[in-house]
Amino acid sequence: MTGTLRELWLFFRRDLCIARTYRTVFLFEAIEALFGVALFYYVARFVDSPQLRNALPQSESYFAFSLIGFVFLDYLNAAMDSFDRSLMEARDTGTLEHLLVTQTSLPVILAGSAIYPFAASTLRIAVYLAWGAVLFGFPLRDANWLAVAAVLVATLLAFSGLGILSASYLLLFKRGNPAKWFFLGLSSVAAGVLFPISVLPDWLQFVARLNPVTYALEAIRAALLGGAGFHAVWRPLLVLLFFAAVLLPLSMAVFAWALRRTKTTGTLMHR
């Protein structure tokens, strides 16, 4: 266990050292976050009304509802994109083949490559919410942070499986997985990101109820805006953990098969 934690720490430290060579990026991302929060705040002021608030969960303001949906979509994108990006960087720098012949296990390699992107995405979310709370009155006083953390961890576990499947596609076909972008596009419409799913036609509401992003957003909004505890968010948490239990072992098996396939055909390092 100690050896595994050390390996994960080394992966994180490597990516952190690389990121620190581009320090101005952090500043520009913080400024970009400010503009993004301001955009949602003033759009919300334009469209907000008592009728709209009554249609939203917890009767919150549209600003709070939409900002959470926006930053959560960024988190989802990180969960699905980090494995692809790490794989392409390792392949382009020529370190992929060297890494795969070490004694480091495949699950540790995959988990280690995703730690820093997930940490960076968490920091971006914190910056967005901090701008919203300090300058635009985003309500954080009632948040149940333990429940928020549990929902984020369950979300990462659930969608990391999809990210590993996407990396498997990249390993085999040397190009991005179009299904990933289809899923992200579908989730932006049929998951309650910027509007409640109740406004959708019945067939799209049915699709939304099959989408785990819907449950993740319901849980994170309830915990962050309504202060809901585990007794209130256990059902969406259970759904997310079910997806994780199915997708993670499946995706690991598919990635291992794709890796063996590319080694057999000699196309591991091909672009």
Side-chain angles (χ1 to χ4, degrees):
M1 177 61 72
T2 303
T4 299
L5 292 176
R6 183 176 181 276
E7 289 174 337
L8 292 175
W9 162 249
L10 291 174
F11 273 104
F12 175 77
R13 184 179 177 185
R14 177 202 64 182
D15 293 338
L16 179 62
C17 289
I18 294 172
R20 287 175 62 186
T21 62
Y22 303 95
R23 295 180 182 178
T24 55
V25 172
F26 294 103
L27 175 62
F28 286 119
E29 285 188 348
I31 296 173
E32 179 188 20
L34 173 59
F35 289 139
V37 173
L39 173 66
F40 280 100
Y41 175 74
Y42 288 110
V43 168
R45 286 191 61 181
F46 178 70
V47 302
D48 221 349
S49 67
Q51 293 81 6
L52 178 59
R53 288 181 179 239
N54 291 334
L56 298 176
Q58 291 86 41
S59 297
E60 70 241 25
S61 69
Y62 182 69
F63 170 59
F65 179 90
S66 60
L67 183 60
I68 290 177
F70 175 75
V71 297
F72 191 85
L73 198 62
D74 180 64
Y75 213 58
L76 174 61
N77 185 62
M80 297 191 64
D81 194 49
S82 59
F83 299 98
D84 283 8
R85 188 174 302 174
S86 297
L87 184 63
M88 286 189 292
E89 288 177 356
R91 188 182 62 191
D92 293 343
T93 57
T95 60
L96 177 61
E97 195 168 14
H98 299 290
L99 181 62
L100 292 173
V101 297
T102 64
Q103 294 182 350
T104 305
S105 66
L106 184 60
V108 171
I109 292 175
L110 290 172
S113 66
I115 291 177
Y116 178 80
F118 290 157
S121 294
T122 302
L123 180 60
R124 277 198 303 272
I125 287 179
V127 171
Y128 271 98
L129 296 182
W131 282 129
V134 172
L135 298 180
F136 303 106
F138 184 90
L140 287 177
R141 59 186 179 276
D142 296 326
N144 185 326
W145 293 109
L146 192 59
V148 169
V151 173
L152 289 179
V153 170
T155 299
L156 287 180
L157 292 175
F159 294 109
S160 290
L162 293 176
I164 296 171
L165 287 174
S166 181
S168 304
Y169 184 96
L170 177 65
L171 200 62
L172 287 171
F173 300 103
K174 316 305 176 187
R175 63 187 64 192
N177 184 2
K180 175 180 68 176
W181 303 113
F182 174 80
F183 178 76
L184 288 171
L186 176 66
S187 296
S188 66
V189 175
V193 174
L194 295 178
F195 42 80
I197 63 172
S198 58
V199 305
L200 298 172
D202 291 342
W203 68 273
L204 262 182
Q205 289 189 40
F206 176 75
V207 171
R209 285 301 169 191
L210 298 177
N211 189 347
V213 180
T214 303
Y215 300 94
L217 279 169
E218 286 180 356
I220 199 70
R221 285 183 175 124
L224 193 57
L225 299 176
F230 289 102
H231 65 283
V233 299
W234 69 269
R235 191 183 301 275
L237 270 178
L238 196 61
V239 171
L240 292 171
L241 292 175
F242 170 76
F243 273 92
V246 172
L247 288 175
L248 280 176
L250 175 64
S251 63
M252 290 285 189
V254 171
F255 189 88
W257 173 82
L259 188 59
R260 290 195 301 270
R261 175 70 177 170
T262 54
K263 286 181 178 179
T264 301
T265 57
T267 59
L268 177 62
M269 299 302 294
H270 289 187
R271 302 180 184 177

